[in-house]
């Protein structure tokens, strides 16, 4: 009987700890990683984050790696652009690893950069 109680006393805290783990495989966690990354390079680029809406499109998760398609749309109107990003899990959150190359000139949509966008390759 004591061994059963002892086993429960060991197992219960482990189950509680596992249930409290934060699930970060979602659009909000990816969006936060992109915003944090762009805020970090803002001084180098002059990019004003407040002038863009940032939306997360398709996502893919594999263990500690993720990819997602991110859309940047100027709040003032006009054409936006879509770019694929790669992420890695660090310290319980997603962090931008790189902007992935695709399409003409490495731009996800192949269109012109919106006003205020950082120079291509600025985050590599």
């Amino acid at each position: 009987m004591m061994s059963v109680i002892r086993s429960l006393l060991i197992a219960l805290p482990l189950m509680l700890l596992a249930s409290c783990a934060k699930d970060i495989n979602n659009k909000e966690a990816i969006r936060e990683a992109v915003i944090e990354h762009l805020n970090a390079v803002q001084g180098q680029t002059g990019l004003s984050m407040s002038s863009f809406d940032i939306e997360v499109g398709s996502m893919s998760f594999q263990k500690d790696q993720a990819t997602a398609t991110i859309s940047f749309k100027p709040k003032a109107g006009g054409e936006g652009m879509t770019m694929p990003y790669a992420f890695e899990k660090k310290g319980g959150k997603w962090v931008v690893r790189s902007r992935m190359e695709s399409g003409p000139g490495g731009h996800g949509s192949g269109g012109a950069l919106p006003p205020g966008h950082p120079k291509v390759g600025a985050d590599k």
Side-chain angles (χ1 to χ4, degrees):
M1 181 70 165
M2 287 300 284
S3 64
V4 172
I5 293 173
R6 190 173 302 146
S7 296
L8 286 174
L9 288 175
I10 293 171
L12 186 59
L14 293 175
M15 289 188 301
L16 289 173
L17 183 61
S19 68
C20 293
K22 183 178 175 186
D23 178 23
I24 62 169
N25 292 358
N26 58 60
K27 287 187 177 189
E28 187 55 36
I30 291 292
R31 184 175 181 277
E32 287 175 17
V34 171
I35 290 171
E36 186 174 308
H37 170 73
L38 294 175
N39 281 333
V41 299
Q42 184 174 1
Q44 302 167 9
T45 64
L47 176 68
S48 173
M49 292 300 301
S50 62
S51 61
F52 292 94
D53 286 322
I54 299 170
E55 297 177 12
V56 179
S58 62
M59 302 176 300
S60 173
F61 300 97
Q62 293 182 342
K63 296 185 182 182
D64 292 343
Q65 309 270 326
T67 58
T69 302
I70 311 298
S71 296
F72 300 90
K73 298 177 183 177
K75 289 182 179 180
E79 275 193 56
M81 63 181 239
T82 301
M83 299 178 69
Y85 277 81
F87 302 85
E88 62 185 335
K89 198 179 287 185
K90 285 187 177 178
K93 66 180 186 174
W94 291 110
V95 176
V96 171
R97 187 177 73 217
S98 66
R99 189 176 65 219
M100 297 168 23
E101 299 295 324
S102 72
H107 306 293
S109 66
L113 295 173
H117 187 277
K119 295 178 184 176
V120 175
D123 63 31
K124 293 185 177 178

